[in-house]
Amino acid sequence: MINICLLSTTTCFDCLPNELILIIWEYLGNIEAIRIFESMECERYTKLLEEYYYKSVSFRQTSLSTFQLYCSHLLNKIRFHVETLKLGHEYVYSQLRLFTQMRPASLSVIKMFPKLRRLVLYNIPEMSSDDLEPYLSTIPFLQHIEVSRCSLTKLSSLICSNLLNHNKSQLQSCIFHGTYSTNGIILYEPIPSSYQVQQSLIDIRINMQDLISLKNLLQFLPKLLKLGKLSILNFE
């Protein structure tokens, strides 16, 4: 009787249209959906995962055990599909540091995810420059980057160098929000001669420490179309 019930349940789920399966997966979250269904040898599920879930991966609400499982067992299976990567738990452990430790030293972030176009880093107030460098170094290859709850003042030099130190960057939009209301990016003279005008960057939302820093930044953004949610922390 148990086997019959299980068979019936499986058959009923398999009969659901793709739209309902995607709704169920959305409820599970993309990491859980991948974890549960990628092991099933079903061409239909594989195609749905590749089309809707392998391309965009978010760890915002992923438990530590699931995150470790993903990094150790699932990463190589889907990494060539990932176009959007969201790292950083909304409350607790440091995913970026763990991910750096688990990532093969021979592979940069962009080599690990060669199709990556959008990177979101969240809840990283304790990260040092060395911790964050592997992720910010992907900026020239991305179309969008978002960094939230980060110590912008402390990491100003690192952020500016990765944002402005390339003449063939593909970046179109970026968001940088600090950890506290008194935390913003500083860009003072002398400005490094290696900084380049960024022709592709058209949308920026950023916390700047003061108007001087903003002025110095804007001289490198001649094609800027949108300066949204700008925060100037010191008007003096």
Side-chain angles (χ1 to χ4, degrees), residues 136 139-140 145 157-166 169 171 173-174 176 185 195-196 198 201 204 206 217 221:
L136 293 186
I139 283 179
I145 186 168
S157 178
L158 177 67
I159 292 172
C160 289
S161 63
N162 280 284
L163 192 63
L164 302 174
N165 215 15
H166 309 275
S169 175
L171 191 69
S173 66
C174 64
F176 289 96
I185 288 178
Y195 285 8
Q196 305 287 321
Q198 301 302 304
L201 190 53
I204 187 168
I206 194 167
L217 174 64
L221 309 176

Side-chain angles (χ1 to χ4, degrees), residues 192-211:
S193 59
S194 59
Y195 285 8
Q196 305 287 321
V197 171
Q198 301 302 304
Q199 300 288 352
S200 62
L201 190 53
I202 59 175
D203 180 5
I204 187 168
R205 282 161 278 180
I206 194 167
N207 289 2
M208 300 298 295
Q209 188 66 25
D210 49 40
L211 287 172

